[in-house]
Amino acid sequence: MRRTLALFASSLVLWALVTQLNDALAGARVYLFAGALFVAFAALTQPHGAGLAAAILGGLVCDAHAPVAFGLHALLFAAAHLALFRIRDRVPRGDNVSAIVVVLLTNLALFLMFSFTQISASPVPAAIWPRLIADLVCSQVFLAVITPWFFALQAGALKLARVSRFDA
């Protein structure tokens, strides 16, 4: 339980940071999406149950603030966690470059899934794609910069909770 709470606490820090950044960038009409960070560390390094619970809890926090059907973030974060958990033996665990690549690919997949599920609500779906592409590029640059810091934050939270960083 401490493992899940430590991962969830760091997810709350990420959610607050991204929410504040999006609020600051609203004037420039830029939206940062960092969904992969709610999933990647737990899926790559933690036991299945604790990581999945942390991903779902992080998704529920994102759902509470987003104008989408409640549970959509949680569902997609859980699906991303399951996919990453299945491939984690093929990804080097201690390497920042591989972690960044995994986060960027996962974020791309989540961003596209969210876009395809929500695009039908737009009155002119074709007109929204340039903005979505711009948001995706900004989000990916943001993630490339923040991923090592956030993985270190989660590792530190696990250390404070006195649980091992890597699954045995």
Side-chain angles (χ1 to χ4, degrees):
M1 185 61 126
R2 286 184 297 164
R3 181 183 311 270
T4 302
L5 291 176
L7 293 170
F8 178 61
S10 58
S11 292
L12 284 176
V13 170
L14 174 67
W15 175 80
L17 174 70
V18 172
T19 302
Q20 291 301 313
L21 278 172
N22 281 331
D23 186 51
L25 294 171
R29 292 182 170 79
V30 174
Y31 176 79
L32 298 176
F33 177 73
L37 284 180
F38 288 93
V39 176
F41 181 84
L44 293 175
T45 64
Q46 300 304 304
H48 179 66
L52 182 60
I56 291 172
L57 288 172
L60 291 174
V61 168
C62 292
D63 280 329
H65 188 261
V68 298
F70 190 76
L72 182 62
H73 282 89
L75 176 69
L76 291 178
F77 287 4
H81 178 273
L82 293 173
L84 286 177
F85 190 81
R86 294 196 50 123
I87 66 161
R88 76 186 201 160
D89 292 334
R90 297 180 197 117
V91 177
R93 292 186 186 193
D95 183 22
N96 275 339
V97 174
S98 63
I100 291 170
V101 169
V102 167
V103 167
L104 291 177
L105 292 174
T106 304
N107 202 62
L108 173 65
L110 285 170
F111 189 89
L112 291 175
M113 290 302 297
F114 277 111
S115 297
F116 286 129
T117 60
Q118 300 301 310
I119 196 111
S120 62
S122 174
V124 185
I128 204 165
W129 280 107
R131 159 115 191 239
L132 289 176
I133 292 170
D135 289 346
L136 177 63
V137 168
C138 292
S139 297
Q140 298 294 71
V141 169
F142 171 71
L143 286 177
V145 171
I146 200 171
T147 295
W149 169 81
F150 188 66
F151 274 36
L153 176 73
Q154 288 188 305
L158 290 173
K159 188 175 180 181
L160 283 174
R162 294 190 178 114
V163 293
S164 64
R165 177 179 172 192
F166 291 108
D167 181 22

